[in-house]
Amino acid sequence: KNLSVDGFDKSFATNHIGLQAMLMEIEKLNSKKPAMVVIVGSKLERNGLVDPEIMLKHRGKKLNDRPDEEYTAVKHYSDTKLCNQMLSTALLERWPETKVFSVSPGMVDTGLWRNFPNWFQILTWPIRKVALRTPEDAALGVVYACASEEAGKEKSGTFFVDGTVEESSEKSRDVDKARRLWEVVDNLIRDRQKNTVK
């Protein structure tokens, strides 16, 4: 597991903290919230495990109590994507006037595969080239959620998978836990900003 320059788990910082930090800035700057927020999620969030109290205790270096010997890149990615889906839930409460969507683009052949062991990259290369989506294809689902008339008719909190509506995991819709995750990440970001200013 790698750490970001700010001392957070690198995948968590990339997939979640940066996104929430941007939303916190929007919240500070605008009295009027944006009309729409579209979060790039993943169906893998259903396999995620997130505990905001462990996250707070370990200052963003650890997201749950999963034993180290059970760690895999896919499980960890799922954890960060559960954070994203919980962010969507938190925004429903924080920004009720904003339409919040999340989109799972499916399995995509991106640079993220570089985080897997070399043997796995070599073994899966032919499958990735044939069976996985290109980044351009995957972006179509995000564009659909942002711009299509059909998507615009869906209620806030909708989770799109291949242009169809699916329900996100029950744990991602836990309002109290989603609110707590927002608070913990807010705390981590503010503490880091204070330490940077010193």
Side-chain angles (χ1 to χ4, degrees):
K1 296 182 206 178
N2 297 321
L3 297 181
S4 70
V5 294
D6 294 316
F8 304 126
D9 173 272
K10 197 171 195 176
S11 295
F12 178 50
T14 301
N15 291 342
H16 187 79
I17 292 178
L19 172 59
Q20 185 168 326
M22 179 185 72
L23 293 169
M24 288 167 56
E25 288 300 313
I26 290 170
E27 201 169 55
K28 279 194 301 192
L29 296 174
N30 296 320
S31 56
K32 185 176 182 197
K33 303 299 180 275
M36 179 183 286
V37 172
V38 177
I39 296 172
V40 178
S42 172
K43 286 173 64 169
L44 290 174
E45 64 88 13
R46 296 168 178 156
N47 304 321
L49 180 62
V50 172
D51 186 331
E53 302 314 319
I54 289 174
M55 196 180 292
L56 181 62
K57 178 182 175 186
H58 294 276
R59 307 305 301 157
K61 292 176 180 69
K62 193 169 179 168
L63 308 183
N64 54 51
D65 60 359
R66 184 181 288 123
D68 287 343
E69 59 272 9
E70 291 180 20
Y71 175 90
T72 67
V74 172
K75 285 180 183 176
H76 192 55
Y77 178 77
S78 300
D79 299 338
T80 66
K81 287 301 171 178
L82 176 56
C83 289
N84 289 163
Q85 204 62 41
M86 292 169 72
L87 178 61
S88 177
T89 299
L91 285 175
L92 293 175
E93 182 179 64
R94 294 183 73 84
W95 297 2
E97 68 279 11
T98 299
K99 192 159 274 199
V100 179
F101 291 151
S102 56
V103 178
S104 175
M107 295 293 288
V108 185
D109 189 21
T110 67
L112 290 175
W113 292 95
R114 72 184 178 281
N115 297 312
F116 287 86
N118 284 338
W119 67 266
F120 187 81
Q121 291 179 51
I122 293 165
L123 183 68
T124 62
W125 185 85
I127 296 166
R128 287 186 284 125
K129 293 302 170 195
V130 172
L132 300 189
R133 293 178 174 170
T134 65
E136 295 79 11
D137 287 341
L140 294 175
V142 178
V143 172
Y144 173 81
C146 292
S148 79
E149 194 174 312
E150 298 84 22
K153 294 175 185 173
E154 296 294 339
K155 67 180 173 67
S156 191
T158 296
F159 182 40
F160 291 102
V161 179
D162 293 326
T164 60
V165 175
E166 288 193 18
E167 192 163 62
S168 62
S169 67
E170 189 173 327
K171 57 190 163 191
S172 76
R173 292 179 276 119
D174 181 329
V175 175
D176 293 332
K177 199 168 182 181
R179 186 185 306 124
R180 182 63 181 145
L181 176 64
W182 177 282
E183 292 167 356
V184 167
V185 174
D186 179 282
N187 177 283
L188 294 173
I189 292 167
R190 290 179 194 279
D191 280 357
R192 180 63 185 131
Q193 287 170 338
K194 284 181 204 167
N195 291 333
T196 303
V197 171
K198 288 180 181 177

